[in-house]
Amino acid sequence: MTFSLILFLLTVFTGVLWVLDVFIWAPKRRAAAQDELTAFDRDNADSLRRGEQTVVATRNAIVQASTDRPKWLEYTAGFFPVIFFIFILRSFLFEPFRIPSGSMMPTLETGDMILVNKYQYGLRLPVLNTKILPIGEPERGDVVVFRYPPNENIDYIKRVIGLPGDKIEYINKKLSINGKPVPIGEIGEYYDEAKMQSLEEFLEKLDKTEHHLLINPRAPSSVYPLSTHTDPKACDYVPGGLVCMVPKDKYFVMGDNRNGSRDSRSTTIGTVKEEYIVGRTLFRFFPFDRFGKIGDTGRLNIVSAEE
């Protein structure tokens, strides 16, 4: 059971109790308390006129009881407004994610916490993930979070490289889109402390988006298909790489750590269905020394994804 489903069921459960309490149980409590208060005032009229503290305190307790929920309702229906707010915020607007690995370096690092915009590509029904209001579509260069096709309970994060209908060629570690080489410029050496290896860092331009990427010069150029690939007919595997035609309503994604990423090239991910995309990354909020928008360039923009 996914967290989204648990949150939805919790919202429904507490919401039903909240409605019953507001419109049925609370009025009954108030009516019963009013009847008790009327009888109490009649039986203790003299004591109340004299202002006896014990009697006045008892009367105040009766008034308080008319507004107090039972404990079991306080810890269920009482939390409904907070749970409902979290449900709306997380389901339709924004959701936090933690970067689990280094496949998006040097844009994001392992352990980074990011916030994802869930409405930029359209509003979807919670749990069902059915789009109910189209707003926008992923653009080339966007860093997106999506559900892992073989196991939808797992979230991946990659960069959109190919749009529906694009021809993607990745041969000898060089990327071309629709027959045009993607502009790339060398920056220098990047040392991966986690794996204690030196990588080559480049600046790549995808349409209007410029971003840093890493290439391991010692890794082989070839990629190989797997029997569980989601699009076994979409890609032709050639010496040194592959050529893919992105199917309709799907997207070709890659990690910025090109030789350390499982993505649309050779894994069970394949090209990603539009309905699997959760949203576009907004900014990193942890660690605090790298707080800020996940921009297109700069060493401070380091991300990670499932490998």
Side-chain angles (χ1 to χ4, degrees):
M1 183 179 291
T2 66
F3 179 76
S4 296
L5 180 57
I6 293 174
L7 184 60
F8 172 74
L9 294 176
L10 190 60
T11 303
V12 171
F13 174 70
T14 57
V16 168
L17 294 180
W18 183 84
V19 170
L20 290 173
D21 184 53
V22 169
F23 295 102
I24 298 178
W25 297 332
K28 287 183 177 180
R29 289 198 302 271
R30 289 192 294 267
Q34 184 59 47
D35 292 342
E36 184 181 357
L37 191 62
T38 299
F40 182 88
D41 289 345
R42 182 182 63 245
D43 297 339
N44 298 275
D46 291 340
S47 299
L48 290 171
R49 280 196 298 270
R50 290 193 299 269
E52 295 182 9
Q53 293 299 315
T54 302
V55 177
V56 172
T58 302
R59 188 182 192 279
N60 290 338
I62 295 173
V63 173
Q64 184 65 38
S66 67
T67 58
D68 285 349
R69 290 190 179 109
K71 288 296 183 182
W72 69 274
L73 267 180
E74 191 64 38
Y75 289 106
T76 52
F79 284 106
F80 169 69
V82 175
I83 294 174
F84 180 72
F85 174 77
I86 295 174
F87 173 73
I88 293 298
L89 183 68
R90 187 182 185 278
S91 299
F92 298 104
L93 301 177
F94 307 103
E95 184 175 355
F97 287 90
R98 179 184 179 276
I99 302 304
S101 71
S103 69
M104 279 293 290
M105 293 194 313
T107 309
L108 295 170
E109 293 180 346
T110 304
D112 282 358
M113 296 291 293
I114 62 172
L115 195 66
V116 172
N117 182 326
K118 300 191 71 172
Y119 65 83
Q120 183 165 343
Y121 301 144
L123 295 181
R124 296 180 180 274
L125 289 176
V127 182
L128 298 177
N129 206 41
T130 302
K131 184 179 289 189
I132 56 177
L133 180 62
I135 295 177
E137 301 293 340
E139 297 180 359
R140 194 176 287 112
D142 287 356
V143 177
V144 299
V145 170
F146 59 93
R147 292 177 289 124
Y148 181 51
N151 184 351
E152 296 183 22
N153 294 327
I154 299 176
D155 294 308
Y156 268 41
I157 178 170
K158 305 291 179 184
R159 189 178 297 276
V160 174
I161 301 296
L163 306 179
D166 280 351
K167 179 181 180 181
I168 305 298
E169 298 175 80
Y170 190 72
I171 300 175
N172 295 327
K173 303 177 184 178
K174 297 184 183 300
L175 176 65
S176 295
I177 301 176
N178 297 324
K180 297 181 179 180
V182 173
I184 189 171
E186 187 173 357
I187 293 177
E189 184 180 276
Y190 180 99
Y191 186 70
D192 181 357
E193 296 181 356
K195 294 185 177 181
M196 294 185 293
Q197 62 180 356
S198 295
L199 306 174
E200 294 178 351
E201 185 173 1
F202 296 86
L203 182 67
E204 183 177 76
K205 185 173 183 180
L206 294 167
D207 293 347
K208 297 180 181 179
T209 300
E210 292 184 347
H211 70 98
H212 289 229
L213 62 86
L214 300 176
I215 292 178
N216 185 347
R218 295 169 296 281
S221 300
S222 299
V223 292
Y224 303 96
L226 300 180
S227 58
T228 52
H229 197 289
T230 57
D231 292 293
K233 297 181 180 180
C235 298
D236 291 326
Y237 291 83
V238 299
L242 78 169
V243 179
C244 297
M245 292 298 300
V246 185
K248 179 182 179 182
D249 296 327
K250 293 187 176 183
Y251 295 86
F252 192 96
V253 298
M254 295 174 69
D256 289 349
N257 186 359
R258 292 286 163 84
N259 297 111
S261 171
R262 292 181 180 176
D263 47 44
S264 292
R265 289 172 290 176
S266 61
T267 74
T268 52
I269 296 176
T271 51
V272 179
K273 293 181 180 179
E274 187 272 339
E275 63 189 68
Y276 278 45
I277 296 179
V278 175
R280 183 180 186 271
T281 57
L282 275 181
F283 63 87
R284 172 181 29 240
F285 61 88
F286 184 84
F288 300 119
D289 61 341
R290 292 199 301 276
F291 179 91
K293 183 178 179 181
I294 300 175
D296 301 325
T297 59
R299 182 59 59 84
L300 293 180
N301 300 316
I302 299 183
V303 183
S304 171
E306 291 286 350
E307 290 188 349

